[in-house]
Amino acid sequence: MGKNEPLKKWEEKRLELLQGDEAKIKLQHDKGKKTARERIAAFFDAASFVELGALKEESGVICGYGLSDERPVYAVAQDITVKGAAMSKKQADKIINTLSLAKKTGAPVVFFTDTEGFSVKENALTLKAFGEVFAAISKLSGICPIITLVAGECCGIAAQFAMLSDISIAIEGVTVLMPFTPAVMGKAGDVNKDGKALGGAKVAAKQGSCALTAKDEDEAIAKLKTLLALLPSSVENKAPFVDSDDINRVLSADGKDGFKLATEIVDNGTAVELYPEYGVGMYTFLARIGGYSCALIASEPSKEAGRLNSKSCKKVARILRLADKYNLPVVSLIASDGLDVPAEENQGELMIACGKMMRAYALARVPKISVVYGNAIGASYVASVACAGSDLSFVWPNAMVASLTKELAVLAFEADKIAEEGKEALEEAYAKANNGVAIAKLGLADEVIYPSETRKHVIAALELLYTKR
Amino acid sequence: MSGSVLGNGLSTMIIGLTVVFIGLILLIGVISLMRFTSGGKAVPDEKVEIKSAASVAPPVPPATDNTELIIAITAAIYAVMAQEGVTQQPGFVVRRIRRY
């Protein structure tokens, strides 16, 4: 036996592994899906991926590290062509080893989940395997960013891969993300629907179980890369700084459209919106402002009656926790009439969600900048400015901060004067008495700013708060 | 001989000092006279002006109204500037903070 014989054998084996099972690969392609290896090739910089534990055969998962846009990233890609990528002790060991290495070296982890569930042969043992993997993910989140691309079926307990990640992406026509298998869910709902209709990307977006959706796998990988560019490699680092837009650019937004204002404030008008179809009264973005990667929260006064409901509160709480984990400054643009009046059976849920948002605002240790650009009534001001303890708070001159909207306040406090002075005149006087200038005088805002200069002031605040401890 | 030189020196010094001090005293007198003549008349004039202004002018508007007026005027200026294609506004300018 020659010296190079073992190496030769290993090369042959590696080739066999790389080629995979042709019939199963064809089946995957027929479903309009990439294989795990194709996903890895599409995501990493050319020839940069190093596979770890490749010889641990039949684990149904490919783990390793490589460079994505020249930054180190770890990948865990479930390979459904091998044993249905079912969770087993072997698979769990490989995943946990990879996560452990990511923790030690401080680099993000991306999951490509595509699994048929758990190994029937191991049965109860897989419960331990799942538990250990999910514990490792939970412990890593907050140290290194974890993003999951739900690239196939991810049903039952496996759905927690997406839930425990910091950000998850669903793909139209590919993702099936459900707490049970389609067969069980279909039966429970007594409806004849397939997995994609019951738990596809559209459902995930609407119910907030995935932060982003993509039309196909290529778009999903592009979004994954955009997200990673906005996040630090680990909690020890700051997110990459990219100076690409005029820091003294003035705005034209008038505050009637929260989306327009938000996208005008960010660099080059580009931002990644998280949970765009969930809790639509609030926008949550990851974006650069003045080159700094930030979490941007913006009210949309023209949607959901300009009020906060339990979904929008939860959505805000999520991005605040994400920002706090990864040292991203939080910029809040506020124009909300406070909490929505809920149906009787939903009042508990609304209060709990509002509490989650307040707690997340209060506990976030990152720089917090608030801009009241419209009404900041009741809970919206309490949470976003007061409870948050904004490091710097700005207000537009014509904004209004009060405990009640002008319509309600006039009805509640000045009903007897309506006949004599007129409802509109009273409302106008109330708005004037609580406008931006008046509330700044009360010390409820640090500075009254011109709407057109909002971006400049936010950037100046980010510059100043860069060294916040 | 030496006594006469010393005497001459002393007398010159005394004459010099006397002339200088007389000049200074005269200057003080002139300045005090100027203050008396001009200041004495101006004070009552100012008082009259203030009284007349107070009696004619409308009541001073509250501070909030002033602020709103300033905001409105500035907004109008900005609107005109925008029409003329001027996008850079005067006033606040952001600068990068140098970090060492």
Side-chain angles (χ1 to χ4, degrees):
Chain A
M1 197 180 189
K3 255 187 186 177
N4 291 331
E5 197 62 22
L7 193 64
K8 255 188 193 172
K9 277 193 174 174
W10 162 227
E11 285 295 341
E12 281 166 16
K13 186 73 201 169
R14 181 152 65 178
L15 196 65
E16 187 192 320
L17 287 170
L18 287 174
Q19 282 169 343
D21 185 327
E22 256 183 59
K24 285 182 179 170
I25 290 170
K26 190 180 175 299
L27 195 67
Q28 185 81 340
H29 287 161
D30 290 346
K31 286 181 186 171
K33 291 158 73 181
K34 287 183 194 292
T35 63
R37 292 202 182 275
E38 285 166 348
R39 285 167 187 152
I40 282 172
F43 172 67
F44 283 107
D45 296 349
S48 72
F49 182 70
V50 178
E51 190 173 348
L52 302 170
L55 281 178
K56 285 182 183 171
E57 286 180 74
E58 299 183 341
S59 62
V61 70
I62 299 163
C63 297
Y65 64 91
L67 298 180
S68 175
D69 293 332
E70 299 176 0
R71 291 169 73 200
V73 179
Y74 289 84
V76 174
Q78 287 182 314
D79 187 353
I80 202 161
T81 64
V82 178
K83 299 268 173 187
M87 177 57 77
S88 60
K89 189 178 180 311
K90 221 180 229 180
Q91 184 176 117
D93 285 348
K94 270 180 89 169
I95 296 174
I96 290 166
N97 281 344
T98 311
L99 300 184
S100 165
L101 199 55
K103 189 178 176 183
K104 283 186 268 189
T105 55
V109 179
V110 294
F111 278 90
F112 297 91
T113 57
D114 187 6
T115 175
E116 285 178 2
F118 60 91
S119 163
V120 177
K121 207 170 106 187
E122 290 187 23
N123 199 352
L125 276 175
T126 58
L127 301 180
K128 188 167 184 280
F130 266 125
E132 285 171 353
V133 168
F134 293 152
I137 295 175
S138 306
K139 285 172 190 169
L140 186 67
S141 172
I143 298 171
C144 305
I146 305 168
I147 303 176
T148 290
L149 207 149
V150 188
E153 282 202 10
C154 199
C155 300
I157 196 74
Q160 295 306 314
F161 275 112
M163 302 304 112
L164 296 172
S165 301
D166 294 315
I167 300 171
S168 49
I169 305 172
I171 307 160
E172 283 171 26
V174 172
T175 296
V176 179
L177 183 66
M178 299 163 73
F180 292 96
T181 58
V184 178
M185 286 293 286
K187 204 175 170 187
D190 200 26
V191 279
N192 188 21
K193 286 183 182 174
D194 68 354
K196 280 163 199 156
L198 284 164
K202 280 185 182 154
V203 179
K206 211 165 185 183
Q207 298 187 359
S209 52
C210 277
L212 289 164
T213 52
K215 281 176 191 158
D216 52 42
E217 292 202 39
D218 290 328
E219 192 185 277
I221 287 172
K223 287 190 174 182
L224 180 60
K225 284 175 170 250
T226 310
L227 281 171
L228 285 171
L230 289 162
L231 292 166
S233 289
S234 82
V235 74
E236 301 290 332
N237 310 107
K238 293 246 184 198
F241 175 87
V242 181
D243 193 2
S244 62
D245 194 2
D246 179 12
I247 56 172
N248 281 296
R249 179 163 56 78
V250 292
L251 310 183
S252 64
D254 57 5
K256 285 175 187 157
D257 184 340
F259 190 84
K260 190 185 173 197
L261 175 64
T263 47
E264 260 204 289
I265 281 181
V266 301
D267 290 357
N268 309 307
T270 52
V272 180
E273 190 184 355
L274 304 182
Y275 306 102
E277 290 176 45
Y278 179 79
V280 294
M282 295 293 286
Y283 299 113
T284 52
F285 302 95
L286 287 181
R288 281 204 173 77
I289 304 176
Y292 297 103
S293 190
C294 300
L296 176 64
I297 298 164
S299 312
E300 178 51 81
S302 64
K303 285 183 183 169
E304 295 187 334
R307 286 174 179 273
L308 294 159
N309 58 27
S310 55
K311 285 182 180 173
S312 50
C313 287
K314 281 185 206 166
K315 179 172 166 175
V316 172
R318 278 180 186 175
I319 198 161
L320 286 167
R321 287 198 298 269
L322 181 75
D324 192 36
K325 276 180 190 175
Y326 299 113
N327 299 322
L328 302 176
V330 175
V331 178
S332 304
L333 308 174
I334 306 140
S336 168
D337 283 352
L339 291 182
D340 191 20
V341 181
E344 193 183 333
E345 65 272 23
N346 295 334
Q347 49 186 322
E349 194 189 342
L350 177 65
M351 287 187 287
I352 292 165
C354 182
K356 280 183 180 171
M357 176 177 71
M358 297 234 184
R359 189 182 299 117
Y361 258 123
L363 298 182
R365 297 149 298 174
V366 292
K368 287 174 270 189
I369 300 157
S370 61
V371 180
V372 179
Y373 74 93
N375 284 358
I377 308 296
S380 70
Y381 180 85
V382 173
S384 315
V385 187
C387 189
S390 287
D391 298 299
L392 282 165
S393 59
F394 302 109
V395 62
W396 284 15
N398 294 327
M400 188 177 87
V401 176
S403 53
L404 292 174
T405 60
K406 59 184 181 184
E407 293 83 4
L408 274 176
V410 168
L411 285 176
F413 307 134
E414 297 177 305
D416 53 328
K417 294 182 191 167
I418 291 175
E420 193 187 328
E421 296 180 35
K423 195 165 172 283
E424 277 182 18
L426 287 168
E427 284 174 2
E428 203 176 307
Y430 181 81
K432 199 171 162 186
N434 294 290
N435 70 10
V437 179
I439 71 131
K441 280 183 180 172
L442 291 173
L444 299 179
D446 292 315
E447 179 70 305
V448 185
I449 58 170
Y450 291 109
S452 57
E453 298 206 326
T454 306
R455 177 175 148 86
K456 290 203 263 181
H457 281 280
V458 169
I459 294 172
L462 288 168
E463 282 280 324
L464 182 75
L465 295 169
Y466 182 81
T467 48
K468 182 184 173 186
R469 295 280 178 268
Chain B
M1 181 70 184
S2 63
S4 67
V5 170
L6 194 67
N8 279 339
L10 277 172
S11 64
T12 309
M13 190 186 79
I14 289 163
I15 291 165
L17 284 171
T18 314
V19 169
V20 168
F21 277 105
I22 288 169
L24 283 172
I25 290 160
L26 278 171
L27 271 172
I28 290 164
V30 170
I31 288 163
S32 63
L33 273 172
M34 280 172 73
R35 191 176 60 187
F36 180 75
T37 52
S38 63
K41 284 178 184 174
V43 174
D45 277 353
E46 265 177 21
K47 278 180 186 167
V48 171
E49 274 174 17
I50 288 164
K51 274 182 187 169
S52 62
S55 58
V56 176
V60 180
T64 48
D65 287 354
N66 270 340
T67 327
E68 280 171 9
L69 186 66
I70 293 162
I71 291 164
I73 290 166
T74 318
I77 292 166
Y78 283 177
V80 172
M81 284 167 68
Q83 280 174 1
E84 289 172 0
V86 181
T87 50
Q88 193 71 32
Q89 292 175 3
F92 183 63
V93 176
V94 193
R95 290 181 180 87
R96 294 281 184 206
I97 294 173
R98 192 177 291 175
R99 304 180 206 283
Y100 294 100

